[in-house]
Amino acid sequence: MTRDALTALESMTERQVGRWRDVLDAVAGMLPGGAARVLVEGCGHADAVAARLADHLTAAGRRRVRLRDGGRASEREPDAITIGAGPGERARTAGGWDVVIWLRTRRAPDADAENGADIVIDLNDTRWPVIRRVGPRLAGHDGWYVAESRAFFAPRAATWDARFGDDMPAYAAAVGEAAVRPGATVLDAGCGTGRALPALRAAAGPTGRVFAVDLTPEMLAVARTTGRAHHAALLVADARRLPFAAARFDAVFAAGLVQHLPDPATGLAELARVTRPGGELIIFHPSGRAALAARHGRALRPDEPLAKTRLEHLLTGAGWRLEHYDDAAHRFLALATRR
């Protein structure tokens, strides 16, 4: 492995070595059991990550063939994993690749290549890789989502408000526009550090009840230290599998949640399950889609979960009716009613 291409394991802490091991274990578990060809591309670390994956598979007892960058893939060998790396290999290799892994960094954004990958790994910090997306072809492997989401958000929790705390007025405005009624029972799904909780509590009033769930305990810890926990009952929970009875809530607030779910249709159906008929779903983000895409160096796509046509289709299939859609420059807000 090239030491100047990727931080050597020997220089990492035990936690960082463990993070790499967890990611490679997850990737290995997604690979076909027999012969397969795997391509690693994106940023300047493709060769080093491919070598690390090859070493990991070998240590786990998998036979493998290391395909050199620029070479041509051989025929599939029984029970062998062929690993390629670098730009141009997708087009150059006859017969295609069984699994394509894209390494995401801010230095080399390529939305088209990333969207065509089966596995996307955030490698902005080479000491702390995180799987950020697994494509539909590997949809049966959803066990990665909880661990990888926590791995991404937990290290960021302590500084989250310093980066995004000035968004709280936008949260309050969204709650006000949704017109959550006094006395309502409200859920904040994916509440993060609880930036919406003061506004939700004010809207529900003294006779209402507010619950908030997030997948990452460190995010909820920040909500407690800031005093926002006084506005709601906080629970560690997966928004796709909520610990609530059916028709429990009058309104559900979801900020920055839907677009991060591995299966938005399933997530929206779970939010519908816990919402009473006639209840409201508030989908919010403090940046509009165009501004958010520009921040991440990518172009808008019509198949994104928050694109109007796609979102309306997802909502309808999950038991919602889209009532309002506003993708402004300064914020995103969609309101839906439980049918």
Side-chain angles (χ1 to χ4, degrees):
M1 185 183 308
T2 306
R3 286 181 176 270
D4 60 356
L6 196 67
T7 306
L9 290 174
E10 302 84 53
S11 68
M12 295 185 187
T13 67
E14 185 176 345
R15 287 185 68 245
Q16 291 164 344
V17 171
R19 175 90 288 265
W20 265 105
R21 184 173 56 249
D22 290 345
V23 167
L24 294 174
D25 278 344
V27 170
M30 297 177 198
L31 301 184
R37 294 195 290 194
V38 181
L39 174 64
V40 181
E41 60 180 352
C43 74
H45 302 307
D47 285 309
V49 172
R52 187 166 289 180
L53 176 59
D55 291 344
H56 189 83
L57 292 170
T58 300
R62 298 286 296 269
R63 286 208 310 123
R64 55 93 175 174
V65 176
R66 177 75 169 88
L67 177 65
R68 295 176 61 186
D69 183 23
R72 191 171 184 80
S74 60
E75 294 296 323
R76 287 176 177 81
E77 300 179 28
D79 300 322
I81 302 293
T82 300
I83 302 177
E89 288 297 323
R90 281 201 226 192
R92 187 159 42 229
T93 301
W97 297 89
D98 298 296
V99 177
V100 176
I101 301 170
W102 179 261
L103 307 176
R104 175 194 292 174
T105 67
R106 296 185 186 90
R107 295 190 304 275
D110 188 334
D112 289 336
E114 178 174 320
N115 282 307
D118 300 294
I119 302 170
V120 175
I121 300 176
D122 186 313
L123 205 61
N124 280 296
D125 181 354
T126 59
R127 296 172 182 267
W128 199 261
V130 180
I131 298 173
R132 296 296 288 146
R133 185 175 65 78
V134 176
R137 290 205 296 146
L138 302 177
H141 301 274
D142 73 342
W144 63 274
Y145 175 70
V146 172
E148 296 302 307
S149 293
R150 287 174 175 166
F152 182 82
F153 286 106
R156 293 165 169 80
T159 59
W160 198 260
D161 282 353
R163 296 178 62 194
F164 304 114
D166 57 357
D167 291 335
M168 287 188 66
Y171 279 75
V175 172
E177 191 166 339
V180 175
R181 62 179 178 79
T185 301
V186 183
L187 172 65
D188 187 347
C191 67
T193 60
R195 287 177 290 169
L197 296 182
L200 291 172
R201 163 52 61 200
T207 61
R209 301 189 68 187
V210 180
F211 295 81
V213 302
D214 199 89
L215 201 55
T216 306
E218 290 82 355
M219 286 286 191
L220 297 181
V222 174
R224 293 186 179 95
T225 60
T226 59
R228 296 173 198 146
H230 298 311
H231 301 290
L234 304 185
L235 297 90
V236 176
D238 186 342
R240 305 171 303 163
R241 300 176 181 89
L242 292 166
F244 301 111
R248 177 74 176 83
F249 296 100
D250 300 299
V252 175
F253 185 86
L257 173 70
V258 174
Q259 64 269 40
H260 291 302
L261 294 173
D263 182 358
T266 299
L268 288 169
E270 176 66 353
L271 298 183
R273 182 188 69 80
V274 300
T275 306
R276 66 167 179 79
E280 186 175 39
L281 172 63
I282 307 152
I283 301 175
F284 171 73
H285 197 283
S287 298
R289 290 174 58 239
L292 193 61
R295 184 188 308 168
H296 293 289
R298 60 176 178 80
L300 289 176
R301 296 173 59 94
D303 59 348
E304 293 173 354
L306 296 187
K308 186 175 183 180
T309 300
R310 174 90 193 284
L311 180 61
E312 187 164 20
H313 176 77
L314 289 168
L315 288 168
T316 300
W320 300 97
R321 181 176 61 252
L322 181 64
E323 306 283 6
H324 174 80
Y325 182 93
D326 182 20
D327 183 16
H330 64 289
R331 66 93 189 266
F332 177 92
L333 180 66
L335 307 177
T337 302
R338 178 71 168 94
R339 298 201 309 269

